[in-house]
Amino acid sequence: MARMTMIEAVRSAMDVSMERDDDVVVFGEDVGYFGGVFRCTQGLQAKYGKTRCFDTPINESGIVGAAIGMAAYGLKPCVEIQFADYMYPAYDQLTQEAARIRYRSNGDFTCPIVVRMPTGGGIFGGQTHSQSPEALFTHVCGLKVVVPSNPYDAKGLLTAAIADPDPVIFLEPKRLYNGPFDGHHDRPVTPWSRHDLGEVPEGYYTIPIGKADIRREGSAVTVVTYGTMVHVALAAAEETGIDAEVIDLRSLMPLDLDTIVKSVAKTGRCVVVHEATLTSGFGGEIAALVQEHCFYHLEAPVMRVAGWDTPYPHAQEWDYFPGPARVGRALIDVMEA
Amino acid sequence: MVEPAHLSLHVPEPAVRPGGEPDFSNVKIAKAGAVPRPPVDAAAEDIRDLAYSIIRVLNRDGEAVGPWAGLLTDDELRNGLRHMMTLRAFDARMLMAQRQGKTSFYMQHLGEEAVSCAFRKALQKGDMNFPTYRQAGLLIADDYPMVEMMNQIFSNEADPLRGRQLPIMYSSREHGFFTISGNLATQYVQAVGWAMASAIKNDSRIAAAWIGDGSTAESDFHSALVFASTYRAPVVLNVVNNQWAISTFQGIARGGSGTFAARGLGFGIPALRVDGNDYLAVYAVACWAAERARRNLGPTLVEYVTYRVGAHSTSDDPSAYRPKTESEAWPLGDPVLRLKKHLIVRGAWSEERHVQAEAEIMDEVITAQRKAEEHGTLHAGGKPSVRDIFEGVYAEMPPHLRRQRQQAGY
């Protein structure tokens, strides 16, 4: 075991996967020699050579399109979009191509690619360095969508994603790259080296895609969340004293509905939390599923805490980001409902 | 110089609209044999002229002339003629089948048969095409069974794609034919990625990308060219310029660029322009580009100048936007008739054999159709299972799809 940040864990996942399988290739903008703007691919080109890890032109559709062609050939590309906010030029390739190749060719061709994208806000990133576009992927049949919340999961989920026979959108909350963040922006950030989940095995391991993890057991209310908001939800539970059960989904697609249903059946209450904007966000899907599957256990309406339905602002960062106060308020409201 | 009083927007128009006299007088056509054949390691800037001329082998008299001639034997040419005639007969039967309601949709290749049929013969087993919906000649010329193509078109119980795909969106890894998508141009950059993969693995196989004149305006065309150029990918980048993108004439996509081939030059990609209705020229140019790729010399852009004689699809009526007789005025003629004439001039074919071949081929197509129809057509007979809707979305069916399949009663 070693202490790793999420950046180091992500890099380690690519390293062990490239070591294990010659067909794994890594590329994207500034990913090669420089090692990525977030250092996630540092050292990989020096170790595996320029044909396994390389820089690309600034062209997201080209990056994903080329990866799809390589996957059709038999490689396992793990590519990077520098910010999730810049995935839109590749959206056609992701939704109409990557997601559908197995289906439309009846398995004649497949698309085992991973598309890594730093996601989420809380870093004064403004409108195009803060978005959380996961709902634009969960709505697309044929894609898998994964969002880790800590180094241990990040590595295990990324190795699983690279080994997966289908296309995986791997969203890395950049706010969590260097340490857990509970929304208290006025306090110094603790590094991952002082967190249990910063303990990461150096070798190869996987965490199954499609399995949620319960971060905090509780009996009063179920909080369904993922990414940075896992840490915010944990803080909100401690600060309100409400005995919340915090579920870290880890995979949004496929979704671990069983873990959610079991928890809500126990607590009778559910709050869904995400950074992404509210309307048609993934929280709406969770709320609908909880209502369908847990209606007779529910003692209060299912509540959602999310980003406002606005573009992500710059100056008003902490009035936009759903911090522990807003999540705590929802926990109190759902208990009183 | 007079300063203009105000700006005005230029919107290109085709020379002639319905009711007008077809006019191709401004289409510059090089004489057969006139364009030189450079060495395959020529640099793009040294062969700029080839992006603005038209490589042609067959002259008006049906003779093969010039430096691009002489690559094919009598047997190979007869085989090529047969493939083009088969594709034409296949199109005719499937067009009729669509009119009879046996399928919902079809797209013909009329007038463009030489492009895909001849190109296929320049590739080797294991190479991969990333075709559009108008290159079925790649399958025909590789002896992919017509019955399978028809099963797909009829979406019947034997459809290799289980009824999931619109007719003619074939897929065959075995025959080097990547799964067709409705989204234009997406496959162009995928072909480059496939070629890059082959280079990464130090393989010897190459890729071929396909796009129409209209779709070159899509951003993935640009993506493909920049990636192919940067990584010197072993790919042949084919542009089939059939003059029309549904109702839009090629000038809308081409803009001020002299030719589509010329677009390759800005990327440092050697670019050739070829008579798309000349089987021998298409084959020779395809061999040149394939050899470049195989010798690790990088990509080539090839523009095939041809004419879309048929409607865009069975949902289209071209008389609404171009003269009815325009195809007859097309100066590069008909690819089937031109190769037929050449074979006769060579003494390797005759009118009698041609008539006989036409009958034989139509017989084969009808026999295949009969076999396919035994498995059903769109609204009659055998169908793919409802279960097939849910299979293959992922390698393993996730729980939510299993629940939905059960809801659907399966």
Side-chain angles (χ1 to χ4, degrees), chain B residues 29-45:
Chain B
I29 297 183
K31 274 179 72 164
V35 178
R37 186 178 189 279
V40 290
D41 58 357
E45 62 266 31

Side-chain angles (χ1 to χ4, degrees), chain A residues 83-86 88 118-134 173-175 181 183 185 228-229 232 274-278 306-323 326:
Chain A
F83 287 84
D85 314 60
Y86 301 131
Y88 300 94
T119 189
I123 55 142
F124 281 97
Q127 295 186 25
T128 55
H129 299 82
S130 307
Q131 296 171 30
S132 297
E134 59 270 17
K174 55 184 144 351
R175 177 70 239 206
F181 178 68
H185 52 93
T228 306
M229 300 314 290
V232 175
H274 58 56
E275 279 184 70
T277 51
L278 180 75
W308 309 123
D309 282 340
T310 70
Y312 206 111
H314 183 249
Q316 304 92 329
E317 176 87 57
W318 306 118
D319 298 297
Y320 180 92
F321 183 90
R326 265 174 68 198

Side-chain angles (χ1 to χ4, degrees), chain A residues 5-309:
Chain A
T5 64
M6 199 192 266
I7 291 167
E8 289 162 340
V10 162
R11 184 192 305 151
S12 177
M14 286 184 269
D15 188 3
V16 297
S17 298
M18 290 173 91
E19 180 95 61
R20 207 178 138 89
D21 185 349
D22 287 343
D23 290 337
V24 177
V25 290
V26 169
F27 56 93
E29 296 157 17
D30 304 298
V31 159
Y33 182 83
F34 179 58
V37 295
F38 290 108
R39 321 310 299 153
C40 288
T41 55
Q42 193 169 32
L44 295 179
Q45 184 176 82
K47 186 169 176 186
Y48 296 99
K50 281 199 300 183
T51 62
R52 299 276 311 277
C53 176
F54 54 89
D55 293 318
T56 64
I58 302 172
N59 186 319
E60 289 76 14
S61 176
I63 292 167
V64 175
I68 291 168
M70 289 184 192
Y73 175 93
L75 299 190
K76 305 201 70 135
C78 175
V79 303
E80 179 180 300
I81 301 293
Q82 205 158 73
F83 287 84
D85 314 60
Y86 301 131
M87 67 82 182
Y88 300 94
Y91 200 57
D92 190 28
Q93 288 286 350
L94 288 167
T95 59
Q96 312 274 47
E97 298 291 320
R100 307 241 193 95
I101 282 171
R102 176 187 295 280
Y103 189 73
R104 76 175 196 230
S105 73
N106 191 27
D108 195 22
F109 294 92
T110 60
C111 190
I113 66 172
V114 178
V115 184
R116 294 179 39 244
M117 309 180 191
T119 189
I123 55 142
F124 281 97
Q127 295 186 25
T128 55
H129 299 82
S130 307
Q131 296 171 30
S132 297
E134 59 270 17
L136 294 172
F137 295 119
T138 53
H139 191 58
V140 179
C141 321
L143 295 180
K144 294 184 176 179
V145 182
V146 175
V147 193
S149 69
N150 60 74
Y152 180 82
D153 284 358
K155 179 170 175 181
L157 287 166
L158 184 52
T159 51
I162 293 170
D164 197 278
D166 289 310
V168 182
I169 306 296
F170 197 83
L171 294 159
E172 298 167 7
K174 55 184 144 351
R175 177 70 239 206
L176 301 179
Y177 267 158
N178 290 304
F181 178 68
D182 62 9
H184 286 292
H185 52 93
D186 46 349
R187 298 178 194 165
V189 174
T190 48
W192 280 113
S193 59
R194 280 191 260 137
H195 193 284
D196 282 353
L197 292 165
E199 285 278 344
V200 179
E202 287 180 73
Y204 188 88
Y205 69 95
T206 58
I207 290 174
I209 292 173
K211 289 299 277 184
D213 195 18
I214 296 174
R215 292 278 168 229
R216 181 190 191 284
E217 292 204 10
S219 57
V221 50
T222 299
V223 180
V224 180
T225 188
Y226 50 91
T228 306
M229 300 314 290
V230 169
H231 305 280
V232 175
L234 290 170
E238 293 313 315
E239 287 160 23
T240 55
I242 293 171
D243 187 21
E245 180 146 295
V246 177
I247 297 177
D248 178 356
L249 287 177
R250 302 196 291 196
S251 301
L252 309 192
M253 179 58 68
L255 180 70
D256 185 354
L257 184 60
D258 291 348
T259 294
I260 298 171
V261 169
K262 211 171 134 197
S263 177
V264 177
K266 174 177 78 177
T267 62
R269 289 178 162 83
C270 181
V271 176
V272 187
V273 183
H274 58 56
E275 279 184 70
T277 51
L278 180 75
T279 301
S280 303
F282 191 62
E285 182 64 29
I286 306 276
L289 285 166
V290 167
Q291 182 274 132
E292 272 172 44
H293 293 268
C294 308
F295 186 78
Y296 296 103
H297 293 286
L298 285 174
E299 292 166 42
V302 178
M303 299 185 78
R304 288 182 288 164
V305 184
W308 309 123
D309 282 340

Side-chain angles (χ1 to χ4, degrees), chain B residues 184-308:
Chain B
L184 299 178
T186 48
Q187 76 287 345
Y188 217 59
V189 64
Q190 293 163 6
V192 176
W194 195 99
M196 288 169 69
S198 186
I200 287 169
K201 299 307 271 186
N202 305 124
D203 196 349
S204 58
R205 294 180 285 160
I206 64 168
W210 293 88
I211 203 165
D213 47 272
S215 308
T216 59
E218 290 280 6
S219 50
D220 278 343
F221 177 69
H222 172 271
S223 305
L225 264 58
V226 72
F227 272 66
S229 171
T230 297
Y231 303 106
R232 292 188 202 161
V235 61
V236 183
L237 300 160
N238 296 311
V239 177
V240 183
N241 175 8
N242 68 12
Q243 314 300 318
W244 291 97
I246 309 186
S247 73
T248 307
F249 92 112
Q250 47 99 10
I252 293 283
R254 180 172 48 75
S257 174
T259 64
F260 291 100
R263 296 222 191 273
L265 298 177
F267 293 86
I269 298 173
L272 281 63
R273 207 154 169 262
V274 57
D275 178 346
N277 290 8
D278 179 339
Y279 186 93
L280 287 81
V282 170
Y283 177 77
V285 166
C287 285
W288 191 91
E291 192 190 339
R292 260 182 63 76
R294 232 179 280 285
R295 284 176 51 182
N296 211 32
L297 296 165
T300 309
L301 190 135
V302 182
E303 176 185 345
Y304 303 87
V305 183
T306 182
Y307 185 86
R308 194 197 79 209

